[in-house]
Amino acid sequence: MKLPTDPAANLAALIRCASVTPAEGGALGALEDMLKPLGFSVERPVFSEDGTPDIENLYARRSGNGPHLMFAGHTDVVPVGDEAAWTHPPFAADIANGEMYGRGAVDMKGGIACFIAAVARHVEENGGPKGSVSLLITGDEEGPAINGTTKLLEWAAGKGEKWDASIVGEPTNPDALGDMIKIGRRGSLSGSVVVNGRQGHAAYPQLADNPVRGLMSLVDALLYPAFDEGTKDFQATNLEVTSIDVGNPATNVIPAKATATFNIRFNDTWTAETIQAEIHNRLDQAAGRTKYRPGKKTPVDYDIVWRDRPSHVFLTRDDRLIETLSQSVKTAIGRKPALSTSGGTSDARFIKDYCPVVEFGLVGKTMHMVDERVALADLETLTQIYQRFIEDWFERGAA
Ligand SMILES: [Zn+2]
């Protein structure tokens, strides 16, 4: 039987499935076809929740005596955008000048294709790892992420699944394969500050309370001083005001309400709770300032509304996992990757509650863009890195 040892063939099969979130598009079926001949048992649980589309997911395990390594990722992809702008159709897996084109080529069907090829080569050459390997694949990473990784982890853990380490195959490399392993992520939190004023005539401000004046003080307090200067492992915490809304079409009317919305990316100096408390504190102090509200006796009347769930900050400290992966990259590329916590959030933030997790995949340059594509040479190199990692990690055992 021909095993799925060729990452380009695996990737082509996946790209040809139009799995734009929330559609499964045949992608999980294609994965199942690759995994079964390798001895994986495959389950495809569907999760639902009111107000969100049902999502099909995949959990596959190849059981063995020894530690348990989980590879995590997603087969859903973002929309293609302007299809006419693509040099090659987004679901055709055309190859030109040594690159394969298609939506999901790097984010992240390519990473999955390479990992499966790595396991297949290991099975072919060594009979398979001395332990268990599982793939935890969601169809809901690029969408609301409600019926995906979180529920899949709970579902698998509920069946008694336990993992010793996880690698997420997101495209972590900014420019070239081997640049960067992500060993943690900053936390993220969004909220809106709503200032309640009193509407009035712009010529009679003493009869009104302009909420824009109050909001100026509050926003100022959010932006200055800096929350911290960064830590050994993380960039400085940063708050961006993403919108200021008054919605007032008249120039002679003082509005009744003004809103500022912000997003903060915080490092391990903070938790979601302490950063929220700090923001409350800053706003309360600023509400009493009269710089922009001379003569006003009462503090700024404001509410804060937190949006969504916070993403918690995390840092993986499993030296064996990180060192084994770094060394595998060095063997293939000749240099050690940077260990980074930069960038946005990923599903690793959910996995970290179950086992140590790192992220390493392809080069992210074209992700979410028209003409998303991957160098065939990168597919081969990433497969070699994953294979080396699997061999060495199982050899060394879990921490
Ligand atoms: Zn992704």
Side-chain angles (χ1 to χ4, degrees):
M1 187 171 11
K2 172 88 184 81
L3 296 180
T5 50
D6 176 8
N10 296 351
L11 177 55
L14 292 173
I15 285 178
R16 290 186 186 121
C17 304
S19 51
V20 177
T21 333
E24 183 269 329
L28 296 181
L31 275 190
E32 187 165 357
D33 291 344
M34 294 173 208
L35 291 169
K36 285 217 158 133
L38 293 173
F40 281 85
S41 63
V42 180
E43 292 179 87
R44 290 165 62 176
V46 176
F47 300 124
S48 7
E49 188 152 317
D50 282 353
T52 61
D54 287 3
I55 298 284
E56 189 169 354
N57 300 274
L58 179 144
Y59 184 71
R61 174 169 175 165
R62 187 182 193 280
S63 295
N65 208 352
H68 189 173
L69 174 71
M70 180 229 290
F71 176 88
H74 61 91
T75 48
D76 62 321
V77 295
V78 296
V80 300
D82 179 8
E83 188 158 351
W86 285 68
T87 314
H88 298 273
F91 300 112
D94 284 355
I95 293 172
N97 300 319
E99 293 180 305
M100 184 180 289
Y101 285 72
R103 179 54 87 222
V106 294
D107 185 12
M108 58 158 277
K109 289 175 171 176
I112 300 174
C114 292
F115 188 81
I116 292 176
V119 174
R121 290 178 188 186
H122 195 287
V123 168
E124 208 167 69
E125 293 163 21
N126 309 80
K130 300 186 191 77
S132 296
V133 180
S134 56
L135 282 89
L136 188 128
I137 307 292
T138 175
D140 187 27
E141 201 271 344
E142 305 284 14
I146 299 229
N147 296 314
T149 298
T150 7
K151 286 189 178 173
L152 194 51
L153 285 162
E154 274 169 34
W155 170 88
K159 288 162 26 100
E161 292 292 282
K162 283 192 176 67
W163 307 276
D164 296 296
S166 173
I167 174 162
V168 178
E170 289 283 0
T172 50
N173 299 287
D175 291 308
L177 196 62
D179 280 345
M180 188 177 284
I181 296 175
K182 301 240 171 160
I183 57 164
R185 295 279 186 156
R186 289 177 297 172
S188 173
L189 190 64
S190 298
S192 291
V193 182
V194 183
V195 174
N196 306 298
R198 192 164 68 248
Q199 200 186 36
H201 196 301
Y204 301 91
Q206 71 279 12
L207 301 175
D209 183 0
N210 190 340
V212 176
R213 290 174 175 270
L215 193 65
M216 296 276 289
S217 293
L218 300 191
V219 166
D220 188 69
L222 291 180
L223 296 176
Y224 184 87
F227 287 84
D228 56 62
E229 281 161 4
T231 66
K232 181 171 73 63
D233 301 297
F234 286 92
Q235 296 164 256
T237 294
N238 183 58
L239 183 146
E240 287 299 320
V241 174
T242 51
S243 190
I244 291 188
D245 303 279
V246 180
N248 178 17
T251 54
N252 59 351
V253 174
I254 290 171
K257 211 183 261 268
T259 303
T261 300
F262 63 87
N263 174 260
I264 185 161
R265 302 289 165 136
F266 56 96
N267 62 34
D268 59 349
T269 309
W270 309 90
T271 64
E273 292 72 30
T274 61
I275 199 82
Q276 280 181 327
E278 167 70 12
I279 288 170
H280 275 289
N281 201 4
R282 286 182 177 217
L283 294 175
D284 280 341
Q285 284 188 17
R289 286 180 202 142
T290 53
K291 178 178 173 193
Y292 300 119
R293 302 170 74 238
K296 287 286 185 272
K297 299 264 177 327
T298 52
V300 177
D301 173 14
Y302 78 94
D303 298 305
I304 181 157
V305 184
W306 297 105
R307 305 279 191 94
D308 309 322
R309 304 163 289 181
S311 294
H312 295 280
V313 57
F314 76 94
L315 179 66
T316 297
R317 295 184 194 274
D318 184 325
D319 291 342
R320 197 176 287 210
L321 170 61
I322 295 168
E323 194 39 48
T324 306
L325 185 55
S326 294
Q327 201 53 51
S328 307
V329 172
K330 184 159 186 235
T331 304
I333 312 268
R335 63 190 166 90
K336 282 221 166 184
L339 305 178
S340 169
T341 57
S342 62
T345 62
S346 82
D347 275 356
R349 72 188 192 271
F350 304 123
I351 298 168
K352 67 110 170 48
D353 294 335
Y354 295 85
C355 64
V357 55
V358 295
E359 300 168 66
F360 184 73
L362 289 161
V363 178
K365 252 191 265 179
T366 60
M367 60 183 172
H368 295 209
M369 288 170 54
V370 158
D371 278 346
E372 181 173 349
R373 61 195 183 276
V374 61
L376 298 180
D378 280 2
L379 292 175
E380 177 54 33
T381 307
L382 182 60
T383 301
Q384 288 174 15
I385 291 171
Y386 281 159
Q387 187 184 357
R388 169 59 65 113
F389 170 75
I390 292 167
E391 280 165 14
D392 291 353
W393 188 81
F394 280 100
E395 206 54 57
R396 298 174 75 169

